[in-house]
Amino acid sequence: MSIENQSQEKLKYRLEGLSCANCALKIEKAFSSEETIGETSLNFATQTVYLPPAALELAQRIIDRIEPGVILRPINQLSKSLEQEENSSDIKWKKIRMLGAGMLLAIGLILPLLNINLPLALEYTVFLTAYFLVGYEVLYTALRNITKGALFDENFLMALGTIGAIAIKQLPEAVGVMLFYTVGEYIQDLAVNRSRRSIQALMDIRPDYANLVHQLDVQKVAPEDVQVGQLILVRPGEKVPLDGEVVNGSSFVDTSALTGESVPRNMEKGDTILAGMVNSSGVLTVRVTRPFAESSIQKILDLVENASSRKAPTEKFITTFSRYYTPAVVFIALGIAIIPPLIGMGTYSEWVYRALTILVISCPCALVISVPLGYFGGIGGASRQGILVKGANYLEALTKVKTVVFDKTGTLTQGVFDVVEINPAKGFESKFLMEITAAAEAHSSHPIAKSIRESYGSAIDQGDIEDYEEVSGKGIRARIKGYEVLVGKAVLLKDSGILIPDEEHGLKGTLVYVAVSGKYAGQILISDRLKVGAKETIRALENSGIKTVMLTGDHQTVAESVAKDLGVGEFHADLLPQDKVAWVEKLMSGNSQGKVVFVGDGINDAPVLMRADVGIAMGGLGSDAAIEAADVVLMEDQPAKLLTAIGIAAFTKKIIWQNIFFALGIKLGFVFLGAIGIATMWEAVFADVGVALLAVLNATRVSRHTSLEI
């Protein structure tokens, strides 16, 4: 079930205090196995999950069984921030315990070096006190899990390994392993919380208040309390709290929070302004057009925060792998402890020590935690570049792109049209041709229609339009001043049996054909301009081995001219919306080894955006259709952002596989060294805690490397 569907039936909850990635997987699995909860996805990076309110008590019982101390709270009733958690009494007490255990361990190790031998009872007292200071939580959790039939987790492994070490009188190593494990878990928690605070930093684009204009007074209120139609005041330096229309004032605004670009944008009366923009200079009065819950910024925040719930294939593989990996190592360790002594290859104490070392090594934390954090780093880094990726699965899909299909108008070209030629047929005048065409296009939102109305330049009398019908993908049929008028593509006129002259070749623009009362009345040539960076983007894709295709509803001659200017490898023209879908399906069927990406404007291309392996909406700033239909949204209207998105995806995947091979390589290497008696428990701690910490730190590199190109 998708996050969107879940959010309709379930409420969002925060799992306060959840820092164990392996425990998060267990909780998610336990939730999903309960019929009253249903299939759900726990987002470890943001500590959130969607649950039915009626199942809240059941969910908390599951959490208490798996990870006591984690509290389930509604998202709007959080008791602490991450910063408060780090400075809470529990954290301070943990620091004191680690420091005390470290001092006792140091005393127990240093005194023999000074030729001071402690009595056996005192030696055990020193080491066991240190051991229980840092290990009692691990021991308690392991014992509780055993009583519930949950073996083979990190607590069980650490408890078994260190208790075994005590049993064979390796007290310093037992204390050292437990101490370093606890310190490593603490440092790992700090690294995870830093990643979460980077998410919170992104969340800082959420406006805190709105200045509501109330008669002659201005009141500071929560953005959620402002109603559609009310006026708000946005002063210099303030974040725009809600989407709206500027009704008074002018100013430059910073759109970087939404688009990743810091170029200021001028806002004047009548302009649409979006929540999350920052007012730079003048005072603006804005009429609110959407409630906060439906604002652009809230949709962006929801997308970013929920993106980690859509797991990539690599993430799912590691989750499955970790379930079999730990039990396998436990049985290997058991075999090492029993079989060699039975066949006379050494003493039981020697082989038991080696087996205990392997148990310490086998904790799966490094694998489990680094992969989801790596993907979230990539998603977060992309969002700061104005690239919204709806899930880790789409981020990974971008690393397998073999074909990129572009829409033309509004994607590769600016979609800003100019009338460059008016060619009336014999018996018709240019003025009449423009007047009748502008009237026919009066209700259309298409950029070409807008350019015709602007070129006409006069007011259109709506009373002249007696009938109006849009013919999908072909044009407009209308009755104006008693005339039956057809305006659109050549096929529209041909379908009505109207003869048109031979079409000219080499045209650099779009021809709009006009018929009046069954007679061909003329044609209007509309030109478009290439977007800045479009040609360079096509060249970079082709040079990297990615095939480029352009699909357009424009005439063959226009499409050919644009394709030649851009350097597109393949193009198809005269297409209806359903034809674009068919072409993408054809490309997908012939491209089984790679992914097919479609890049469109997100408004007219919703069907094909949804059909492609990855649908990318270009210039989706404020576009509901873009955010809903696409898998990736490029908020800034720049084709080069596609290169950045693919680059971030490639870097993210590289880091994640580095972590996987690094963690597995080190762990399996130490398992071998432990089995042959070379690795000690001291060294095994690095194979567990050290590898986990390094993997987490490596994963955080993704969020810092955002200016990437293929």
Side-chain angles (χ1 to χ4, degrees), residues 273-397:
I273 194 167
L274 301 178
M277 295 179 175
V278 178
N279 188 15
S280 299
S281 50
V283 177
L284 297 174
T285 302
V286 177
R287 177 177 288 107
V288 176
T289 56
R290 290 180 182 171
F292 181 76
E294 298 176 12
S295 66
S296 300
I297 196 65
Q298 188 60 40
K299 289 181 179 180
I300 292 170
L301 296 179
D302 289 343
L303 280 177
V304 173
E305 189 168 2
N306 290 328
S308 291
S309 296
R310 296 180 176 90
K311 293 180 173 60
T314 304
E315 203 169 347
K316 294 177 181 177
F317 163 74
I318 289 300
T319 301
T320 304
F321 178 82
S322 65
R323 292 174 187 165
Y324 300 100
Y325 162 79
T326 306
V329 175
V330 170
F331 286 114
I332 290 172
L334 185 63
I336 288 173
I338 296 174
I339 296 174
L342 286 178
I343 60 177
M345 293 180 61
T347 65
Y348 274 102
S349 61
E350 175 188 351
W351 286 101
V352 167
Y353 178 82
R354 295 183 186 185
L356 295 174
T357 301
I358 291 172
L359 289 177
V360 172
I361 292 168
S362 63
C363 180
C365 290
L367 283 171
V368 173
I369 198 171
S370 62
V371 175
L373 282 183
Y375 277 115
F376 198 85
I379 292 168
S383 66
R384 283 189 287 276
Q385 290 287 306
I387 302 167
L388 300 184
V389 184
K390 286 190 177 180
N393 52 334
Y394 301 122
L395 197 65
E396 182 161 312

Side-chain angles (χ1 to χ4, degrees), residues 663-676:
L664 277 179
I666 294 293
K667 283 182 176 291
L668 294 178
F670 270 86
V671 166
F672 174 74
L673 294 176
I676 63 177

Side-chain angles (χ1 to χ4, degrees), residues 146-396:
I146 289 172
T147 61
K148 299 180 183 298
L151 295 176
F152 306 130
D153 64 0
E154 62 276 8
N155 297 293
F156 172 76
L157 296 176
M158 285 297 156
L160 184 59
T162 53
I163 290 173
I166 293 172
I168 61 174
K169 299 181 180 179
Q170 298 292 336
L171 296 176
E173 294 194 22
V175 177
V177 166
M178 192 62 80
L179 173 62
F180 293 135
Y181 174 76
T182 304
V183 172
E185 289 289 296
Y186 172 70
I187 296 174
Q188 181 177 294
D189 290 348
L190 292 182
V192 172
N193 284 338
R194 275 196 294 271
S195 296
R196 286 172 175 160
R197 279 199 302 277
S198 71
I199 300 167
Q200 286 190 332
L202 180 64
M203 298 298 111
D204 284 345
I205 63 177
R206 184 188 189 280
D208 299 318
Y209 63 89
N211 299 313
L212 179 63
V213 178
H214 184 68
Q215 295 179 348
L216 300 178
D217 189 21
V218 177
Q219 299 176 346
K220 186 177 287 188
V221 300
E224 294 88 344
D225 295 336
V226 180
Q227 305 297 316
V228 172
Q230 291 185 309
L231 298 179
I232 58 174
L233 202 66
V234 186
R235 300 185 177 96
E238 291 183 333
K239 296 173 188 172
V240 178
L242 299 110
D243 295 356
E245 178 186 350
V246 177
V247 296
N248 192 26
S250 64
S251 178
F252 283 94
V253 297
D254 180 356
T255 66
S256 58
L258 301 179
T259 66
E261 299 296 326
S262 58
V263 178
R265 184 175 298 186
N266 187 38
M267 287 289 167
E268 297 180 342
K269 183 177 180 180
D271 289 339
T272 298
I273 194 167
L274 301 178
M277 295 179 175
V278 178
N279 188 15
S280 299
S281 50
V283 177
L284 297 174
T285 302
V286 177
R287 177 177 288 107
V288 176
T289 56
R290 290 180 182 171
F292 181 76
E294 298 176 12
S295 66
S296 300
I297 196 65
Q298 188 60 40
K299 289 181 179 180
I300 292 170
L301 296 179
D302 289 343
L303 280 177
V304 173
E305 189 168 2
N306 290 328
S308 291
S309 296
R310 296 180 176 90
K311 293 180 173 60
T314 304
E315 203 169 347
K316 294 177 181 177
F317 163 74
I318 289 300
T319 301
T320 304
F321 178 82
S322 65
R323 292 174 187 165
Y324 300 100
Y325 162 79
T326 306
V329 175
V330 170
F331 286 114
I332 290 172
L334 185 63
I336 288 173
I338 296 174
I339 296 174
L342 286 178
I343 60 177
M345 293 180 61
T347 65
Y348 274 102
S349 61
E350 175 188 351
W351 286 101
V352 167
Y353 178 82
R354 295 183 186 185
L356 295 174
T357 301
I358 291 172
L359 289 177
V360 172
I361 292 168
S362 63
C363 180
C365 290
L367 283 171
V368 173
I369 198 171
S370 62
V371 175
L373 282 183
Y375 277 115
F376 198 85
I379 292 168
S383 66
R384 283 189 287 276
Q385 290 287 306
I387 302 167
L388 300 184
V389 184
K390 286 190 177 180
N393 52 334
Y394 301 122
L395 197 65
E396 182 161 312

Side-chain angles (χ1 to χ4, degrees), residues 69-81:
V70 174
I71 306 299
L72 195 62
R73 298 186 189 277
I75 204 71
N76 59 349
Q77 295 179 12
L78 302 183
S79 61
K80 300 177 182 178
S81 67

Side-chain angles (χ1 to χ4, degrees), residues 385 605 623 678:
Q385 290 287 306
D605 296 313
S623 170
I678 295 178

